[in-house]
């Protein structure tokens, strides 16, 4: 956080720089959005006072299992008010992907995008509804996604529409001034400012106004890679009946979720707490499940009609994401999350949901799990654990599998995991066709050699060394 004189000087410099990054109406709006982020970055402390918070009271939570059943007729009326938004701005860089993550084949030969379309098509068939699918793209994903949609979306019973989130300038970590020098500078100098940008984007693209004119009052937002984030009319009813404006789906935290965002209260307002906001003395407590028992699934239900006049004024915590340019120079991306918006809505609440509504793919080990027979997907795109399991297998892959291309080389055939408790791979292991794994499996070659698992081999509760 800067002093007032430092802040004033930097804002003057930034205003001069941002003028050079404007070449049309959209870029002008984007720079205005970035300017607000930048001023907040200079003004607010990056971390909270660890003594200032309490956990939200139980009355701020709704148990989804206790929501009453609703009729088909009521569901149909509720679905008339709904649009689904999938966050589609990511490239899956943590898995070494160059194109949109949504276009990776993940299950039964289908991509995340195809699965999302199939799921909504199924709802529209069952309820004779017309729920649309909206994709919030970044400048990095828009064109490739558009080409994909032209190939397979034309025959679906669902309207699919893309809209483009903001493009903001990265800033140098040392000077805090923008990397790009003009609107036509190399794209490496820009970035999409996180999914918290959805509110301004709905306003500046005119999409919020368009949806409301069509009678759509509720938006359900989730990550494109969470194939278990499906429509539930009961959740729409829960949002509207008590004027919550904003509902965040949360689920029980496990040792696998230590970095997941959670909820606290400060001065009577619910707040989304993420790792970058936690001071050093609070890290151990934040990462444990003793105090923070739930975490944010990033499945968010929003009453668009109720918040339409607030879209430009919604504040979220700034996440200063530190990265490096290709030349090695350190930069900062000022990002926000959609979860951070909860602080703006006094009547917001959290909806406790089962783990079955949360299956993100952030790493290749997540992708292996989803692609395996531990999960099944029906013809309507509904993904769930096979009936023989209560929890998913725990998988740990070595660094050799971190990138999607390298993963594909080593796992050209997905092994059977439906009877696996844990799978740990250290080093380089290559799978043949029809391999079956069961129980607790640990695979590790000796030295630098690779270990090949031959076709049709079954491994149960074994440690294997070559």
């Amino acid at each position: 956080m800067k002093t007032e004189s430092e802040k004033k000087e930097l804002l003057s410099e930034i205003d001069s720089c941002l003028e050079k990054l404007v070449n049309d109406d959209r870029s002008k709006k984007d720079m205005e959005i970035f300017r607000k982020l930048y001023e907040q970055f200079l003004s607010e402390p990056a971390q909270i006072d660890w003594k200032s918070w309490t956990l939200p009271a139980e009355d701020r939570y709704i148990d989804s299992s206790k929501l009453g059943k609703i009729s088909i007729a009521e569901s149909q009326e509720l679905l008339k008010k709904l649009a689904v938004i999938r966050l589609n701005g990511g490239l899956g860089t943590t898995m070494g992907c160059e194109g949109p993550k949504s276009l990776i084949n993940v299950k039964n030969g289908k991509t995340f995008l195809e699965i999302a379309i199939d799921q909504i098509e199924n709802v529209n068939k069952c309820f004779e509804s017309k729920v649309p699918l909206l994709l919030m793209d970044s400048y990095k994903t828009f064109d490739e996604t558009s080409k994909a949609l032209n190939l397979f979306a034309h025959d679906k019973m669902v309207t699919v529409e893309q809209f483009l989130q903001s493009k903001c300038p990265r800033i140098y970590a040392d000077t805090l001034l923008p990397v790009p020098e003009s609107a036509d500078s190399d794209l490496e100098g820009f970035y999409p400012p996180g999914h918290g940008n959805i509110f301004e984007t709905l306003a500046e693209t005119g999409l919020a106004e368009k949806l409301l004119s069509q009678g759509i009052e509720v938006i359900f937002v989730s990550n494109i890679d969470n194939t278990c984030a499906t429509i539930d009319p009961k959740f729409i009813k829960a949002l509207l009946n008590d004027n919550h404006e904003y509902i965040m789906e949360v689920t029980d935290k496990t040792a696998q979720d230590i970095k997941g965002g959670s909820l606290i209260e400060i001065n009577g307002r619910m707040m989304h707490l993420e790792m970058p906001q936690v001071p050093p003395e609070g890290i151990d407590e934040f990462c444990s499940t003793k105090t923070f028992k739930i975490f944010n699934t990033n499945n968010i239900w929003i009453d668009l009609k109720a918040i339409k006049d607030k879209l430009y004024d919604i504040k979220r915590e700034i996440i200063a994401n530190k990265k490096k340019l290709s030349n090695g120079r350190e930069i900062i991306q000022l990002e926000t999350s959609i979860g951070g918006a909860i602080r703006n809505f006094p009547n917001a609440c959290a909806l406790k949901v089962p783990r079955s509504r949360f299956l993100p793919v952030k790493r290749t080990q997540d992708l292996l799990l989803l692609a395996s027979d531990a999960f099944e997907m029906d013809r309507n795109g509904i993904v769930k654990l096979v009936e023989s399991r209560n929890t998913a297998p725990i998988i740990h892959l070595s660094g050799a599998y971190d990138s999607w291309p390298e993963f594909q080389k080593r796992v050209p055939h997905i092994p059977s995991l439906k009877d696996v408790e844990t799978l740990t791979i250290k080093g380089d292991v290559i799978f043949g066709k029809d391999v079956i794994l069961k129980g607790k499996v640990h695979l590790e070659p000796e030295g630098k050699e690779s270990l090949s698992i031959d076709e049709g081999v079954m491994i149960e509760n074994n440690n294997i060394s070559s």
Side-chain angles (χ1 to χ4, degrees), residues 449-460:
E449 297 177 5
S450 64
L451 171 64
S452 294
I453 310 298
D454 293 335
E455 179 177 345
V457 168
M458 185 180 80
I459 302 170
E460 183 172 4

Side-chain angles (χ1 to χ4, degrees), residues 386-397:
V386 293
E387 288 187 10
S388 60
R389 301 196 64 99
N390 294 318
T391 59
I394 296 173
I395 299 176
H396 297 288
L397 302 182

Side-chain angles (χ1 to χ4, degrees), residues 55-283:
L55 290 175
E58 277 302 310
D59 62 5
R60 302 303 298 272
Y61 294 90
I62 299 172
D63 186 341
S64 64
S65 67
K66 295 181 180 178
L67 295 176
K69 292 183 178 181
I70 58 178
S71 67
I72 291 177
E74 187 176 8
S75 295
Q76 288 174 322
E77 288 303 309
L78 290 166
L79 290 170
K80 288 178 182 178
K81 300 178 180 181
L82 179 69
V84 172
I85 297 180
R86 289 301 188 110
L87 302 170
N88 189 46
L91 296 178
T93 51
T94 55
M95 296 192 296
C97 299
E98 294 183 1
K101 183 198 285 188
S102 60
L103 302 184
I104 298 174
N105 284 318
V106 289
K107 191 74 176 175
N108 298 355
K110 293 201 170 186
T111 65
F112 287 116
L113 182 55
E114 289 174 291
I115 293 171
I117 294 172
D118 286 347
Q119 289 174 344
I120 299 176
E121 181 183 31
N122 176 51
V123 170
N124 287 342
K125 283 181 179 178
C126 289
F127 293 96
E128 298 179 347
S129 55
K130 296 181 180 179
V131 176
L133 172 62
L134 310 173
L135 302 171
M136 187 171 83
D137 282 292
S138 69
Y139 65 90
K140 297 180 178 182
T141 62
F142 190 94
D143 289 342
E144 285 191 60
T145 301
S146 180
K147 291 175 183 177
L149 286 171
N150 288 334
L151 294 177
F152 58 74
H154 64 280
D155 59 343
K156 300 289 181 179
M157 289 181 58
V158 53
T159 299
V160 183
E161 182 176 344
Q162 297 173 264
F163 65 108
L164 188 62
Q165 75 171 117
S166 299
K167 184 174 77 171
C168 293
R170 290 168 154 180
I171 57 175
Y172 290 114
D174 50 3
T175 66
L176 300 184
L177 294 177
V179 173
E181 297 179 355
S182 74
D184 299 320
S185 292
D186 190 277
L187 287 177
E188 189 183 22
F190 296 90
Y191 72 101
H195 41 64
N197 178 240
I198 189 172
F199 298 100
E200 296 96 337
T201 301
L202 285 169
E204 70 177 78
T205 59
L207 187 55
E209 185 177 344
K210 177 182 175 180
L211 292 174
L212 290 168
S213 71
Q214 296 171 349
I216 293 173
E217 302 175 10
V218 175
I219 53 175
F220 172 39
V221 187
S222 63
N223 296 335
I224 192 72
D225 64 355
N226 184 8
T227 55
C228 291
T230 53
I231 295 170
D232 192 326
K234 296 193 299 294
F235 295 1
I236 306 173
K237 185 176 181 179
L239 175 73
L240 297 178
N241 272 11
D242 295 313
N243 301 312
H244 286 299
E245 297 186 326
Y246 178 111
I247 286 179
M248 174 190 289
E249 291 186 34
V250 298
T251 197
D252 290 341
K253 186 177 181 179
T254 71
Q256 306 298 311
D257 314 306
I258 58 172
K259 294 184 179 181
S262 195
L263 291 172
I264 58 174
E265 275 193 11
I266 295 181
N267 299 324
R269 286 287 180 110
M270 195 127 75
M271 175 180 164
H272 185 233
L273 180 66
E274 297 193 75
M275 183 77 83
Q277 299 155 266
V278 179
E281 66 270 22
I283 293 295

Side-chain angles (χ1 to χ4, degrees), residues 33-52:
I33 289 167
F34 174 78
R35 212 288 191 168
K36 284 185 178 181
L37 293 177
Y38 189 80
E39 185 170 7
Q40 186 181 348
F41 167 66
L42 297 180
S43 304
E44 289 187 359
Q47 297 171 336
I48 67 167
D49 176 357
W50 199 241
K51 297 178 181 180
S52 68

Side-chain angles (χ1 to χ4, degrees), residues 277-294:
Q277 299 155 266
V278 179
E281 66 270 22
I283 293 295
D284 288 344
E285 185 174 13
F286 178 78
C287 291
S288 76
T289 57
K290 184 176 180 181
T291 301
F292 295 96
K293 300 181 184 301
I294 55 90

Side-chain angles (χ1 to χ4, degrees), residues 229-459:
T230 53
I231 295 170
D232 192 326
K234 296 193 299 294
F235 295 1
I236 306 173
K237 185 176 181 179
L239 175 73
L240 297 178
N241 272 11
D242 295 313
N243 301 312
H244 286 299
E245 297 186 326
Y246 178 111
I247 286 179
M248 174 190 289
E249 291 186 34
V250 298
T251 197
D252 290 341
K253 186 177 181 179
T254 71
Q256 306 298 311
D257 314 306
I258 58 172
K259 294 184 179 181
S262 195
L263 291 172
I264 58 174
E265 275 193 11
I266 295 181
N267 299 324
R269 286 287 180 110
M270 195 127 75
M271 175 180 164
H272 185 233
L273 180 66
E274 297 193 75
M275 183 77 83
Q277 299 155 266
V278 179
E281 66 270 22
I283 293 295
D284 288 344
E285 185 174 13
F286 178 78
C287 291
S288 76
T289 57
K290 184 176 180 181
T291 301
F292 295 96
K293 300 181 184 301
I294 55 90
F295 72 99
N296 171 24
T297 66
N298 222 43
N299 301 342
I300 311 292
W301 299 80
I302 297 170
D303 186 340
L304 183 60
K305 185 177 181 180
I307 72 164
K308 62 182 174 65
D309 295 327
K310 307 176 185 178
L311 293 173
Y312 279 116
D313 300 316
I314 292 173
K315 278 200 168 185
R316 294 123 298 173
E317 291 72 37
I318 299 290
I319 301 168
N321 194 353
K322 297 178 181 179
K323 293 182 177 290
K324 288 185 178 181
L325 297 175
S326 56
N327 63 11
R329 189 167 177 183
E330 294 182 346
I331 57 93
I332 297 173
Q333 297 180 175
L334 303 182
E335 302 176 8
T336 62
S337 72
I338 189 172
I342 199 169
R343 72 191 241 192
N344 296 268
F345 309 109
N347 203 31
C349 70
L351 182 67
K352 291 183 177 180
V353 299
R355 186 77 180 203
S356 57
R357 289 189 59 80
F358 183 70
L359 187 65
V361 175
K362 305 303 180 188
R363 298 164 296 176
T364 52
Q365 62 195 41
D366 303 323
L367 194 146
L368 173 60
L369 181 61
L370 173 59
S372 78
D373 58 1
F375 282 86
E376 59 186 7
M377 183 174 74
D378 65 22
R379 62 179 182 176
N380 298 316
I382 305 303
V383 178
K384 60 183 179 181
L385 272 173
V386 293
E387 288 187 10
S388 60
R389 301 196 64 99
N390 294 318
T391 59
I394 296 173
I395 299 176
H396 297 288
L397 302 182
S398 72
Y401 300 81
D402 281 351
S403 79
W404 173 235
E406 292 302 314
F407 174 89
Q408 289 177 300
K409 289 179 185 177
R410 290 165 174 79
V411 194
H413 308 285
I414 303 296
S416 172
L417 301 179
K418 66 180 180 179
D419 296 314
V420 164
E421 289 183 50
T422 61
L423 169 62
T424 301
I425 298 179
K426 293 187 176 181
D428 191 357
V429 178
I430 301 169
F431 287 89
K433 190 177 181 182
D434 298 328
V435 172
I436 299 173
L437 305 179
K438 294 184 177 185
K440 297 179 180 179
V441 179
H442 181 106
L443 303 175
E444 183 176 4
E446 292 182 354
K448 295 183 179 180
E449 297 177 5
S450 64
L451 171 64
S452 294
I453 310 298
D454 293 335
E455 179 177 345
V457 168
M458 185 180 80
I459 302 170

